[in-house]
Amino acid sequence: MIFGNKHLIVLVFFITTILFSCSNEDVQEANEIQDFNLTIIGEDLQEVYQYDYESLNNTGTQINLSSELGIKNNYLTLREFEGSLSFYSFSNSAISLTQKNLATGRITDFPNFYTISAERSLVWGINDENSVYFGLYKPLGSTNLTLRIVSFADMQGFDVSLEFGIRRLYEPLYDNGNLFITYLTGSENYKLVVYNVDANAIVKTFEFGKEKPSFLITDLGNLAVWTQEGNSNTNLELFDTLNFLSISTSVLPMAQPFEAGPINGAIVDEKLYYQYVYTQPFEIESGPALLDLNSGDNTILDIVGLINKVNEDEEISIRPLFGQYLSDINLFAISYALQNQVGDEIGGFLLVSLEGNLVVQRNLEFLPTYFVD
C-alpha cells in the first residue's frame, strides 16, 4: 500500500541530527503586530501535536492529539476540509479516520472505515464532508487506475474506472465539489481528470501529451494550469471551473518546472506565491518567492540571510523543512528542525512577510508538518 510521504520530514531529521542544548527566545520584528491565529500540526518520534498560536499575545497552546484523538504518529496522511482535520490510519487491513473540527473541537471517529481487500493497492485518500475518495489500483499487481467513493453516512461505496495501465498517479486536489486527479498514462502522456462529486461523473479530461501539468485554484475560483516541456518557458492557462472553458493563456519567463499535480502555492490578486527550488548544491532546497503574473517580475526572498540572522541572534541552528504561503494572513510560513536542541524543543516555525522580514520565530517541542490555512 502506498499512501503519502508525510513521514519523510520527521524521519530524515531524527536520523541525521545530533542534538545538544542551548538557550532561545522568541523573535518578533514586525513594526505592527497582525491580529491572527494560526494552527500547526506536527509530531515527534512518539506522538502527534496541535499548536494554536495567537499573534497579539505572541503566545501559543500545545495539545497532544495522540492523547485527545487516540492517533499514533505513524498515521498515513492528514487532510483538511473547511476547518476539519481528517487523520487517516491503517491497521488490520483497514483504513480508519479520526476527524477534529478546529472551530468546535468536535471529534468524530470512523474506525475500520474501509477494508482493503487483497485485490487492491491503495495510493491516496481525500475527503469532503460527505465521502472519502480513494485513488487505487485494481486488481492487485496492476496499475489500472480506479476511484473508490465511500459515503460517511452508510459506509457504502462504488468504483469509477479511470484508466488501465498507468505509469504514475499524483496527489489529488479537492475544491468546491470537484476532485482533480493527475496521472501519467502507460504511453507516458499526462492527463488531468476532473470528477464532480455532485454529478457523480467525470466532467472534464485534460490531455497534455508530454507537457507536465501543475495546477491550483486561484482566489477567483479559476483553475490555473502550468505546463512545461523541457527547460523552456512556462505556459499558464486559466479555466473556469463550471464548464472548464479557457479564459486566458500566457507565457511566463520562469524556467523552474513544478512537480506534476497540485502546486504548493496560491494565486492572489494576480500574484503567484510559491516555493522556489534552488539549483543544488545550495544551503537550502527551497524558499518563498512571488511572481507577478502581469509584469513577469519574480521575487525570491533572501531566506538564507534571514535564517543566518536568526541563528546568530538566538544562538540556534535551524534547518528548514518545508515552506507554505498562508493566504489568510498574507505571510510565508517555514517549518524547521533545530539541529541544536533547546531543552525539550526540537523544531519550530518562522513567519515571514512578503518583503522578507521576520514576523515570528517560535521553537516547539515537535516538528511542524502542516500549517492550517
Side-chain angles (χ1 to χ4, degrees):
M1 180 182 65
I2 309 168
F3 213 114
N5 61 354
K6 67 103 186 171
H7 285 97
L8 288 178
I9 293 174
V10 178
L11 290 177
V12 169
F13 167 70
F14 281 109
I15 290 172
T16 61
T17 303
I18 300 175
L19 306 176
F20 58 93
S21 298
C22 73
S23 62
N24 170 78
E25 292 181 358
D26 294 334
V27 175
Q28 192 164 55
E29 297 182 357
N31 294 325
E32 294 184 9
I33 299 176
Q34 289 179 249
D35 182 7
F36 64 85
N37 297 327
L38 176 63
T39 295
I40 302 164
I41 308 299
E43 57 199 76
D44 58 19
L45 279 179
Q46 286 80 37
E47 298 179 305
V48 184
Y49 301 92
Q50 172 184 329
Y51 186 82
D52 296 323
Y53 175 76
E54 298 180 4
S55 66
L56 278 184
N57 300 318
N58 192 30
T59 58
T61 303
Q62 181 171 300
I63 300 171
N64 187 318
L65 290 180
S66 291
S67 299
E68 183 181 54
L69 306 181
I71 58 174
K72 300 179 180 179
N73 77 330
N74 63 348
Y75 69 90
L76 295 173
T77 195
L78 166 61
R79 302 294 189 186
E80 177 194 355
F81 179 78
E82 295 184 351
S84 180
L85 303 180
S86 295
F87 293 87
Y88 291 65
S89 301
F90 177 76
S91 64
N92 300 321
S93 301
I95 298 292
S96 297
L97 265 73
T98 303
Q99 296 182 328
K100 179 178 181 179
N101 186 297
L102 293 176
T104 65
R106 180 183 177 184
I107 298 170
T108 308
D109 286 317
F110 297 93
N112 301 320
F113 176 78
Y114 175 60
T115 300
I116 302 175
S117 70
E119 301 173 353
R120 299 166 181 253
S121 178
L122 197 61
V123 181
W124 48 247
I126 195 169
N127 62 277
D128 57 17
E129 76 274 24
N130 298 317
S131 302
V132 178
Y133 310 92
F134 293 108
L136 54 85
Y137 300 134
K138 77 168 198 179
L140 188 66
S142 77
T143 56
N144 298 334
L145 178 58
T146 300
L147 177 65
R148 177 73 177 178
I149 302 169
V150 183
S151 169
F152 281 123
D154 57 13
M155 305 289 188
Q156 299 300 307
F158 59 93
D159 290 347
V160 178
S161 180
L162 298 180
E163 181 139 351
F164 295 110
I166 73 167
R167 294 290 297 269
R168 183 174 177 182
L169 176 61
Y170 299 92
E171 276 289 294
L173 175 69
Y174 182 94
D175 181 80
N176 197 30
N178 289 316
L179 178 61
F180 298 86
I181 304 170
T182 315
Y183 59 91
L184 183 64
T185 70
S187 55
E188 298 191 347
N189 293 309
Y190 289 95
K191 287 187 179 182
L192 171 59
V193 168
V194 184
Y195 180 87
N196 185 272
V197 303
D198 297 319
N200 283 329
I202 297 172
V203 294
K204 182 67 177 181
T205 299
F206 294 94
E207 299 190 19
F208 297 100
K210 305 301 180 183
E211 296 185 346
K212 180 172 56 178
S214 311
F215 63 93
L216 55 75
I217 304 298
T218 74
D219 57 335
L220 299 179
N222 297 319
L223 172 65
V225 180
W226 285 260
T227 55
Q228 185 182 60
E229 186 172 7
N231 294 319
S232 60
N233 287 333
T234 299
N235 299 310
L236 170 62
E237 188 164 7
L238 296 178
F239 301 86
D240 74 84
T241 51
L242 181 60
N243 299 306
F244 294 97
L245 300 177
S246 179
I247 298 173
S248 66
T249 59
S250 57
V251 178
L252 302 176
M254 56 185 302
Q256 173 184 304
F258 294 110
E259 293 295 324
I263 291 175
N264 175 16
I267 290 180
V268 179
D269 294 332
E270 299 188 331
K271 290 184 175 64
L272 170 66
Y273 302 88
Y274 71 104
Q275 294 297 306
Y276 177 83
V277 178
Y278 292 92
T279 301
Q280 298 300 311
F282 194 67
E283 291 147 293
I284 59 175
E285 293 183 4
S286 63
L290 54 142
L291 173 70
D292 190 310
L293 298 179
N294 291 319
S295 67
D297 292 338
N298 193 28
T299 303
I300 301 169
L301 303 189
D302 180 17
I303 203 65
V304 172
L306 186 147
I307 288 174
N308 288 339
K309 187 176 188 306
V310 170
N311 286 341
E312 180 179 354
D313 292 347
E314 301 302 311
E315 297 183 334
I316 57 178
S317 180
I318 286 175
R319 184 167 67 84
L321 298 176
F322 76 96
Q324 180 181 336
Y325 172 69
L326 305 177
S327 58
D328 285 350
I329 59 177
N330 200 29
L331 297 171
F332 284 104
I334 299 173
S335 164
Y336 63 78
L338 279 172
Q339 298 185 102
N340 51 338
Q341 184 172 349
V342 181
D344 293 329
E345 299 167 342
I346 61 173
F349 67 94
L350 306 174
L351 296 181
V352 182
S353 72
L354 304 187
E355 296 74 32
N357 298 319
L358 181 65
V359 177
V360 175
Q361 180 262 322
R362 174 60 61 94
N363 289 347
L364 299 173
E365 296 178 3
F366 60 89
L367 300 183
T369 55
Y370 189 84
F371 295 97
V372 179
D373 184 22

